[in-house]
């Protein structure tokens, strides 16, 4: 029986705390331990793992599509049922007028064309993103998701990137998939965290770092994903607030990473591929 692939998310809420750096360092560590690893960049609005690894995105392996509503005016009776049904408030309808679809708010859920009793709304397929898969080095692959510029709702793109990474992992018979999430606690982050075996919450010893750590740990708890804390630049601030939050959630600080000038230089030059702390 094939061994289960371990899925670990690297998140943290706040931007700039070193999530991508930690994800790459962790991937390097696993590869040195003779593990096969996929690093999946789920920050689809601004993917940068390939830059930190000194790689280039080549031909996309797969395109991501979503279906958005298109109104057939000759069938529409202006009943307003689609407007009432839309939970994203992506349909505007003035009294006596045809409904107007606001694509930037649309989550492509399909409720409007399902509920329309007159068949006046049809799904229209559009490209929303691309997925890249490249080999970084022996036993180390990088899967990168990239959303279409200007796309507001990127959670579905992250979901498709995860599906691709899981299938790719089975094909390559890897041991670990590391999901590097976007900052924040919004839908794309939730999509990345869902069904993971563990999340490493990366933070820094600052008031904002502590505030966002509390948010991401609360989210992981709600999603029932076990969490551990990684404290980056641990020697540059007061870590007591971080320790207090970890204690409140009854979890441990797994690792403290001190400030390193060599690490900053490797980061800025895109040379993290073989970096060791």
């Amino acid at each position: 029986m094939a061994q289960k692939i371990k899925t670990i998310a690297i998140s943290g809420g706040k931007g700039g705390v070193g999530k991508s750096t930690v994800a790459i360092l962790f991937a390097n560590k696993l590869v040195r331990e003779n593990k096969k690893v996929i690093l999946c960049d789920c920050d689809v609005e601004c993917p940068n793992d390939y830059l930190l690894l000194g790689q280039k995105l080549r031909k996309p392996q797969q395109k991501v599509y979503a279906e958005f509503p298109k109104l057939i005016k000759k069938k529409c009776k202006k009943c307003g049922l689609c407007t009432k049904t839309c939970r994203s408030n992506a349909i505007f309808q003035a009294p006596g007028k045809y409904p107007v679809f606001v694509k930037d708010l649309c989550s492509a859920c399909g409720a409007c064309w399902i509920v329309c009793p007159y068949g006046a709304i049809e799904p229209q397929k559009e490209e929303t993103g691309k997925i890249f898969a490249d080999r970084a080095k022996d036993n180390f692959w990088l899967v990168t998701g990239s959303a279409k510029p200007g796309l507001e709702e990127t959670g579905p793109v992250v979901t498709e990137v995860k599906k691709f990474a899981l299938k790719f992992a089975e094909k390559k018979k890897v041991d670990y998939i590391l999901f590097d999430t976007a900052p924040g606690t919004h839908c794309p982050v939730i999509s990345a965290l869902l069904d993971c075996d563990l999340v490493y919450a990366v933070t820094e010893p600052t008031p904002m770092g502590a505030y966002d750590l509390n948010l991401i740990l609360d989210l992981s708890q709600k999603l029932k994903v076990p969490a551990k804390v990684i404290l980056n630049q641990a020697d540059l601030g007061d870590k007591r607030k971080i320790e207090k939050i970890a204690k409140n959630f009854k979890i441990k600080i797994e690792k403290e990473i001190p400030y390193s000038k060599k690490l900053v230089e490797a980061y800025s030059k895109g040379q993290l591929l073989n970096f060791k702390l």
Side-chain angles (χ1 to χ4, degrees), residues 3-239:
Q3 185 178 353
K4 182 181 182 295
I5 299 167
K6 294 181 180 177
T7 56
I8 300 176
I10 291 84
S11 196
K14 183 181 179 299
V17 293
K19 293 184 294 294
S20 296
T21 301
V22 168
I24 292 170
L25 294 179
F26 187 26
N28 286 340
K29 177 179 180 294
L30 292 171
V31 172
R32 291 196 299 271
E33 294 172 356
N34 297 316
K35 303 296 184 183
K36 291 184 177 181
V37 181
I38 288 175
L39 174 58
C40 182
D41 194 343
C42 292
D43 187 359
V44 297
E45 294 176 42
C46 189
N48 68 347
D49 287 353
Y50 74 98
L51 295 172
L52 302 181
L53 290 167
Q55 305 288 300
K56 290 184 179 180
L57 294 180
R58 296 175 176 85
K59 185 179 179 181
Q61 298 291 310
Q62 181 177 309
K63 292 183 179 181
V64 180
Y65 295 92
E67 291 182 325
F68 295 99
K70 178 183 178 182
L71 183 67
I72 312 300
K73 285 188 176 181
K74 63 181 180 180
K75 294 184 178 181
C76 180
K77 304 299 182 183
K78 305 176 185 178
C79 69
L81 187 57
C82 59
T83 306
K84 295 174 183 176
T85 303
C86 181
R87 298 186 65 181
S88 301
N89 296 315
I91 305 175
F92 171 77
Q93 186 174 9
K97 302 293 183 180
Y98 289 110
V100 177
F101 303 115
V102 185
K103 190 187 296 184
D104 284 349
L105 298 177
C106 181
S107 62
C109 69
C112 56
W113 61 75
I114 291 172
V115 78
C116 179
Y118 307 106
I121 302 173
E122 293 182 352
Q124 183 171 270
K125 190 176 180 180
E126 292 187 25
E127 182 183 327
T128 55
K130 296 177 181 178
I131 303 173
F132 302 83
D134 298 289
R135 181 171 169 270
K137 64 178 181 181
D138 288 345
N139 296 330
F140 185 6
W141 293 268
L142 175 65
V143 171
T144 304
S146 178
K148 184 179 179 181
L151 184 70
E152 291 289 332
E153 183 55 67
T154 57
V157 178
V158 175
T159 299
E160 291 303 313
V161 173
K162 282 187 68 177
K163 287 181 183 177
F164 177 92
L166 288 165
K167 289 182 181 178
F168 191 73
E170 290 177 359
K171 180 180 177 182
K172 297 296 182 182
K173 298 180 179 179
V174 306
D175 302 293
Y176 288 86
I177 306 179
L178 307 181
F179 295 107
D180 183 13
T181 81
T185 54
H186 53 326
C187 289
V189 176
I190 293 171
S191 298
L193 294 179
L194 280 172
D195 300 321
C196 283
D197 298 321
L198 176 70
V199 55
Y200 282 116
V202 183
T203 188
E204 61 187 10
T206 64
M208 189 62 75
Y211 180 83
D212 278 22
L213 175 65
N214 190 80
L215 293 177
I216 200 69
L217 292 180
D218 184 57
L219 176 62
S220 66
Q221 195 174 74
K222 285 181 169 60
L223 297 176
K224 297 181 180 179
V225 179
K228 294 181 180 179
V229 175
I230 294 181
L231 182 56
N232 193 24
Q233 302 189 106
D235 53 343
L236 293 186
D238 185 353
K239 63 182 182 181

